[in-house]
Amino acid sequence: MRIGFGLNVEQTQKLIMTPELRQAIAILQLSSLELETYIQQQLQENPLLEISEEEEKDELLAGREETAAARAEDAAGEKTGDWDWQEYFQDSSDLGYVKIEKSHNEEEYSYENYVSREPTMQEHLHWQLNMTPCGPRLRCIISFLIGNLDGRGYLRISLAEAAAILGTVPGQVEEALAVLQSFDPPGIGARDLAECLLIQLRQRGQDQGLAGRIVRHHLDDLARGKLMRIAGQLDVPVQEVQRAVDLIRSLEPKPGRNFPSSGDVRYVVPDVVLEKVGGDYIILINDTALPRLTINQTYRSVLQSGRDYDDKTRRYVESKLNAAAWLLRSIEQRRMTLYKVASCLVELQRDFLDYGVKYLKPLNLKKVAEMVGLHESTVSRATSNKYIQTPRGVFEMKYFFSTGLGNTMGTGVSTSAESIKKMLKELVAAEDPRRPYNDQTIAEIFQNRGIKISRRTVAKYRDELGIPPIRMRRRY
C-alpha cells in the first residue's frame, strides 16, 4: 500500500449563515416599532444611509440620466471589489416607492396635535392635596404617603415606620392617612383589601350593615363563594347575603389600576391593516412610521466617478454600500413576506373576518408555509410579535394559528379552541343563574353539538376565560 499526496475535486452543498442572512432573519421577526429603532441604529452606524426627503427624491429623479451614464462608464472600466450592489440600483427608487406629489399649501395636522397625556395616580392625588386646606407639616406627611403607594393604590409602609422616617408621632401620620383615604378614587391609601372595601362602604354609609360585617369577618368565605356558610354563621337569609355580596362585588379592589403608570405603552401599532372594500379585503403593510431610506449620493460617487482613490477608502465605501443595499433588500423582503402571509390568512380565515370568532378555523404553521412557499420557521418569524388590524378588531397574528378539537359527526372537520371558548362564554351567559351548568353538563352540551371535548378541557377553557366555578355563579 503506497502512501502519498493526492488532489481531488469534490462538489458539496453547505448552508452558511452569513452576516447578511442573519440580518435578514432578525429584521423579519421585528415589529414595526422595533424595526424603526433598528433603522435609527443603522443610520448612526452606516454613513451611506440617510433618510430620504422630498427634495432629495426630486434630485434623485432629476439626476437619473447622469447616474445611468456614470454607471455605464464605470462598467466599461476596470472593476474591483464586490459590486453586487450595482444591479440593485438599476431602478431609480431604492425601495420601489412611487413618488407622491404633496401640496404644501394646506396645513397638515396629526393626531399628536390633539392627544393629551393622562395624569398618573400620584399627580391626581397631589392635585387634590393642593386643594385641601391643611398645615404644611400635615401636607408634607400626606405627600410622603402618596409616594409610598403601589400601583394598586395600597400603602406599602407601616405608620410606625413612616413616623420614624419623618421624625413625628404615629398619631399625626394616622391623621394624615385619614385625609389621604378621603381622596378620589375611593379606597386609596388602604393597607389591605378589607380596609379598601370598608373605606368605600364607609363613603356610601353602609360600613356598619351586613356588607361591612361580611368584609370584616367572612372575606375568605366570600372569595370561595360559600354564601350558605356565611348565612348560617350570621343567622340571616341567604338572599340577604346575596344582595350584600352583590354590593361588595361592585366595589373596586384596586383603586389605582385605572391610572396610567409612567412609561406604560397603552396602545398597539398594527403591522398589517385589513380594510374591507365591497366584498374584498385589502391588505396594507403598515410601515408609514418607518423612515424612507436611500443611499448617500456623495459616497456613491466615490465608486462611480473616475477619480483614483486608495484601496482602503474604496474597500470601506464598498463594504458600507453593500451593507446599506442589503438592509434595503431585507426591509423589502420583510414587507413582501408579511404580505404573502397576511394574504394566506385572509384566504383561510375568511369566515372569521365575515362572521366572527365562532367561525375561526384551526390552523398551523405548516399549512400556511406550504401555501406561500416558505419554511415554517420563516412563517413563525413573520408572525412573531406582530399585530393585524381587521374589521373585527386588532389581533396578534399568532391568534389565527389555533389548535382544534375533533367532532363526533365523522366529517373530519375540527373546531378551533378560540371558537369553543366563544361558544362557552355565550353558553354561560345564557344559563339559568339559579341552576348554572357544571363542567360535565357543558361538556355534554358540546357533545350534542358535535364537538368532542372532555370535562377537564372545559374547566381549562373556563379558567382561561375567567369564568368562576358553579358555586360562585349560582344565585339564590
Side-chain angles (χ1 to χ4, degrees), residues 381-414:
R381 293 187 181 97
T383 55
S384 177
N385 299 323
K386 296 180 181 64
Y387 291 83
I388 179 171
Q389 178 180 321
T390 69
R392 296 287 170 182
V394 178
F395 301 92
E396 191 176 5
M397 294 189 73
K398 291 287 187 181
Y399 176 82
F400 294 93
F401 298 93
S402 175
T403 57
L405 297 177
N407 59 57
T408 58
M409 302 299 181
T411 59
V413 180
S414 57

Side-chain angles (χ1 to χ4, degrees), residues 423-452:
M423 289 187 285
L424 174 60
K425 186 183 297 185
E426 294 178 351
L427 188 64
V428 172
E431 68 182 359
D432 185 2
R434 297 183 181 276
R435 292 187 298 273
Y437 300 127
N438 56 27
D439 295 340
Q440 182 61 38
T441 304
I442 295 176
E444 293 174 357
I445 293 175
F446 277 112
Q447 293 278 353
N448 297 332
R449 295 182 180 181
I451 300 175
K452 186 178 180 180

Side-chain angles (χ1 to χ4, degrees), residues 168-394:
T168 184
V169 296
Q172 195 170 13
V173 178
E174 188 173 356
E175 180 185 357
L177 180 60
V179 177
L180 175 60
Q181 292 178 351
S182 65
F183 288 175
D184 180 77
I188 199 72
R191 286 158 288 186
D192 52 35
L193 176 60
E195 185 179 11
C196 177
L197 299 177
L198 287 174
I199 292 173
Q200 299 178 57
L201 290 174
R202 188 182 305 119
Q203 295 181 358
R204 298 187 181 189
Q206 297 177 330
D207 58 318
Q208 300 300 326
L210 180 59
R213 294 164 60 189
I214 293 175
V215 170
R216 289 187 182 92
H217 307 291
H218 304 280
L219 199 57
D220 292 339
D221 291 335
L222 172 60
R224 296 185 179 93
K226 298 180 179 180
L227 303 188
M228 294 295 294
R229 181 178 178 180
I230 297 175
Q233 291 181 354
L234 295 179
D235 194 20
V236 294
V238 67
Q239 290 80 7
E240 294 185 12
V241 175
Q242 180 74 72
R243 287 192 291 269
V245 169
D246 291 341
L247 172 62
I248 296 173
R249 288 175 177 171
S250 66
L251 305 177
E252 176 56 68
K254 299 178 181 179
R257 65 178 173 183
N258 295 324
F259 290 90
S261 301
S262 57
D264 282 355
V265 179
R266 304 181 65 85
Y267 57 89
V268 172
V269 178
D271 299 88
V272 182
V273 178
L274 287 183
E275 294 186 359
K276 189 172 184 179
V277 179
D280 298 328
Y281 288 94
I282 307 300
I283 302 174
L284 303 175
I285 305 300
N286 187 19
D287 55 0
T288 56
L290 300 179
R292 298 298 187 257
L293 299 179
T294 186
I295 304 299
N296 188 286
Q297 297 294 320
T298 303
Y299 285 96
R300 192 193 298 184
S301 63
V302 172
L303 297 177
Q304 293 178 342
S305 63
R307 297 178 58 185
D308 294 332
Y309 294 94
D310 59 277
D311 293 340
K312 185 177 181 180
T313 302
R314 183 173 289 272
R315 285 196 302 269
Y316 174 79
V317 176
E318 285 176 356
S319 63
K320 292 298 182 181
L321 188 56
N322 285 325
W326 191 268
L327 175 63
L328 300 180
R329 291 174 183 172
S330 300
I331 295 175
E332 179 65 18
Q333 184 64 31
R334 173 185 178 273
R335 182 185 300 108
M336 295 304 300
T337 304
L338 278 178
Y339 183 83
K340 291 179 181 178
V341 174
S343 300
C344 182
L345 292 179
V346 171
E347 179 181 353
L348 296 176
Q349 302 290 0
R350 181 63 183 260
D351 292 339
F352 162 76
L353 297 174
D354 290 336
Y355 306 110
V357 181
K358 292 176 62 175
Y359 296 88
L360 184 67
K361 300 177 181 178
L363 187 63
N364 53 31
L365 295 173
K366 182 179 180 180
K367 185 174 182 179
V368 176
E370 292 175 352
M371 293 184 63
V372 299
L374 299 173
H375 195 268
E376 291 182 36
S377 61
T378 304
V379 177
S380 177
R381 293 187 181 97
T383 55
S384 177
N385 299 323
K386 296 180 181 64
Y387 291 83
I388 179 171
Q389 178 180 321
T390 69
R392 296 287 170 182
V394 178

